Amino acid sequence: MIIHIRLEGHQLRDWLKHLVRAIHSMGDHSLYIHIAPRAEKRSGLQTLLTLEKMIVFRNRENSCERRTLRELGLELAGKTKPDLIIDLTSRPFVPDNNTRVLAPSYDGTRGEPALAGLLLSKGAPLMTIDDLTNHKTIASGTPSLEAAQGLSGALEAVYSRFIMLLKRVLQGLEDETTITPFQYFTPLSSIHHSKHLAKNVANYIIREIYQLCCYSGHWRIGYRFIDGNGVLENKNLTGAPWQLIDHPYNHFYADPVLFNHEGRDYLFFEMLDHHVGKGTLAVIRFDENGNPGPTEPVLEEPWHLSYPFMFKWQGDIWMIPESSNNNDVAVYRATDFPLKWERHETLLSGLEAADATIIEFNGAWWMFVVEREGLGGYSDTLCLYKADNPLGPWTAHPQNPVLIDHKSARPAGNMVIKNDKLWRPVQDCEAGYGAALGLAEVTQLDDEGFDQRIDTVIQPGGPEWPGRKIHTLNRVGRLEVIDGCIYRPRMKALGNFSDNLYKPR
């Protein structure tokens, strides 16, 4: 297939290399660039990106760097006749010969200046891919800006998810809906850009000061023993008071996972030393009176580990920790529970996948996992895998990614079947990584597709669970656990005062 990528000259950016690579990975396609006339007057966007790179990013390169055709490995279209046009301009058009034209839109607007304006004024937009020839919207998603630094990072996050959606479309996986009415977005003025740059510089300075004064992302674990309804049933954090798991001052504990073995409760979790910055796995045993014991190390690898999903299968106890830094999903078997584990098998390889969560449902085993292809956020792209047993082999769902949504894609704990309905806790990252906890009812899970309904979003910060974030929920029997993030000053004297502000009541 001959494909023309239609854009305005100023849009020749580094991220196009990832688009080209993705298209080539799907078949023997010929790609050419068609440079369209500039559709609007200059917006000052490039000046903003240049200043942002100099001041905020200390001249580090990013995917919004301007590139030449030669650097991108592309040629001008010339007189080649396309089978498909991917139109990235502000005002795409459909040729007289009715060649298929695909064009992204952002909250119903088009083009790079419009996208930048939306990112500066409101945050992540709803992105769609529209088939302009057939007047249909055929794919959509809301990218996560959780890892985005400045406007450059935000543009990268959106473009990376555009690539994922486009791959779905080129594979024939289309979700047809009525096309969104087009709205022409007036590019923001240089005054708006100046305000954004000033705000970005201020945020950068604040972030640097914060890093000097406080540990970044300090997570802690709460637990309680309850009879009857818990968070899933009550849709909130009320009820029996939450108790805090004690932890060293300069360590955080996160991703609590529960397991009951021979009548005793065990809490597995990620343990991270702020001075090292790499997660390892640990366990705490609860005694017969419900009191937590000391922290005991469980597993360490050369790469970061977190989210130790647990299950029992054929008499053995298994763990699937998050190991995206190693580009795989691996399963470990307990050789001397709970402290000794051996790597048993690689379930998925060659992919950046996080928080694998599995369940047996309707006669099959399903794995939920968020994936990333080197760019963008970490929490917005849900992929599914299916197997006959939890050790695999696992087969990718034909419609992967089944969901791109920063508010409901990433797993946040064990899934639960209640009254024949499947419920999954999800991370709501609209306001940042792990900002809130959603409870989703899965309404479709089969070979034909996936769908879910968000029932409730639980926010942190109340008297039951003070702090800034919450992103994990698990329960086994009477024991229920959550986690959350607080400010933790590097000076312990200040920290003791600060911790009193974050005690659950």
Side-chain angles (χ1 to χ4, degrees), residues 232-479:
L232 181 61
E233 295 81 12
N234 293 332
K235 318 296 185 187
N236 57 50
L237 301 177
T238 61
W242 298 93
Q243 308 296 319
L244 295 176
I245 294 290
D246 288 335
H247 55 282
Y249 187 79
N250 59 351
H251 287 59
F252 80 54
Y253 289 179
D255 295 348
V257 176
L258 295 171
F259 194 80
N260 185 278
H261 180 58
E262 296 180 348
R264 189 169 185 179
D265 292 315
Y266 296 82
L267 169 62
F268 291 82
F269 55 93
E270 173 196 353
M271 176 174 63
L272 186 141
D273 184 338
H274 286 295
H275 297 153
V276 177
K278 180 173 73 74
T280 62
L281 301 182
V283 67
I284 285 175
R285 318 180 200 210
F286 286 84
D287 64 22
E288 61 275 7
N289 297 317
N291 299 313
T295 297
E296 301 174 90
V298 164
L299 184 63
E300 181 174 3
E301 294 282 18
W303 51 87
H304 175 85
L305 295 174
S306 60
Y307 198 86
F309 180 83
M310 308 282 299
F311 66 97
K312 193 169 185 177
W313 173 253
Q314 294 185 340
D316 286 319
I317 301 174
W318 306 85
M319 176 198 295
I320 305 177
E322 191 261 287
S323 56
S324 59
N325 286 358
N326 198 44
N327 292 319
D328 67 7
V329 176
V331 63
Y332 293 72
R333 184 177 67 87
T335 57
D336 185 10
F337 184 85
L339 299 180
K340 294 185 178 180
W341 300 79
E342 65 176 9
R343 186 180 172 108
H344 178 78
E345 192 172 349
T346 300
L347 303 180
L348 302 173
S349 62
L351 75 174
E352 195 174 359
D355 296 355
T357 306
I358 67 174
I359 194 167
E360 186 177 16
F361 186 69
N362 286 346
W365 285 86
W366 295 93
M367 178 190 295
F368 290 63
V369 64
V370 284
E371 295 186 17
R372 178 176 179 265
E373 296 180 352
L375 294 176
Y378 296 82
S379 303
D380 56 6
T381 305
L382 177 65
C383 293
L384 299 179
Y385 294 83
K386 184 180 178 182
D388 292 330
N389 70 75
L391 302 186
W394 290 89
T395 302
H397 194 284
Q399 294 191 10
N400 278 347
V402 298
L403 178 67
I404 295 180
D405 182 14
H406 61 168
K407 295 189 290 187
S408 65
R410 188 165 184 162
N414 288 356
M415 290 175 278
V416 177
I417 300 173
K418 293 183 71 67
N419 300 323
D420 297 325
K421 294 181 179 180
L422 178 60
W423 290 82
R424 59 184 297 255
V426 297
Q427 292 193 35
D428 185 333
C429 299
E430 182 178 21
Y433 169 70
L437 178 72
L439 303 177
E441 178 192 348
V442 176
T443 56
Q444 181 183 3
L445 178 59
D446 53 37
D447 294 334
E448 303 303 316
F450 167 82
D451 203 1
Q452 65 181 13
R453 176 186 65 86
I454 300 299
D455 180 88
T456 305
V457 176
I458 298 171
Q459 303 285 348
E464 297 87 8
W465 190 243
R468 300 188 298 124
K469 299 183 178 184
I470 177 172
H471 79 350
T472 309
L473 169 68
N474 278 302
R475 180 178 178 179
V476 170
R478 297 182 59 243
L479 180 56

Side-chain angles (χ1 to χ4, degrees), residues 47-240:
T47 301
L48 173 61
L49 292 176
T50 301
L51 290 172
E52 184 180 81
K53 177 184 174 182
M54 292 170 53
I55 300 172
V56 178
F57 299 101
R58 300 178 183 179
N59 283 321
R60 296 194 307 272
E61 292 199 343
N62 56 69
S63 63
C64 288
E65 299 290 332
R66 296 280 291 274
R67 300 298 184 199
T68 65
L69 284 173
R70 176 173 293 183
E71 289 173 321
L72 294 172
L74 293 170
E75 299 178 5
L76 289 175
K79 295 184 179 181
T80 60
K81 295 182 179 180
D83 302 300
L84 171 69
I85 297 173
I86 301 170
D87 200 325
L88 305 178
T89 65
S90 300
R91 293 180 178 177
F93 79 108
V94 178
D96 293 337
N97 61 8
N98 223 30
T99 301
R100 194 183 194 200
V101 178
L102 303 180
S105 75
Y106 318 101
D107 281 354
T109 67
R110 303 198 192 280
E112 185 180 76
L115 172 58
L118 289 168
L119 291 169
L120 294 179
S121 60
K122 69 174 287 291
L126 173 65
M127 176 175 57
T128 67
I129 295 182
D130 300 327
D131 182 337
L132 301 187
T133 310
N134 297 304
H135 308 288
K136 298 181 296 186
T137 291
I138 52 179
S140 64
T142 305
S144 169
L145 304 182
E146 60 175 329
Q149 287 189 295
L151 178 59
S152 303
L155 288 167
E156 175 189 291
V158 176
Y159 289 143
S160 67
R161 297 311 179 255
F162 164 70
I163 293 173
M164 286 186 169
L165 285 178
L166 183 64
K167 287 172 65 177
R168 277 181 53 91
V169 171
L170 295 181
Q171 291 168 345
L173 303 174
E174 301 181 1
D175 302 312
E176 297 183 6
T177 59
T178 303
I179 197 166
T180 303
F182 174 69
Q183 309 168 46
Y184 184 69
F185 187 93
T186 303
L188 297 184
S189 67
S190 58
I191 295 177
H192 286 97
H193 289 162
S194 299
K195 287 182 178 179
H196 166 75
L197 183 62
K199 180 180 177 181
N200 213 348
V201 171
N203 288 340
Y204 169 76
I205 294 172
I206 291 171
R207 188 166 59 247
E208 290 293 304
I209 294 174
Y210 175 81
Q211 294 286 351
L212 288 173
C213 299
C214 297
Y215 293 118
S216 177
H218 189 83
W219 293 84
R220 68 212 185 133
I221 294 172
Y223 74 96
R224 66 183 181 183
F225 286 89
I226 55 174
D227 294 303
N229 293 340
V231 174
L232 181 61
E233 295 81 12
N234 293 332
K235 318 296 185 187
N236 57 50
L237 301 177
T238 61

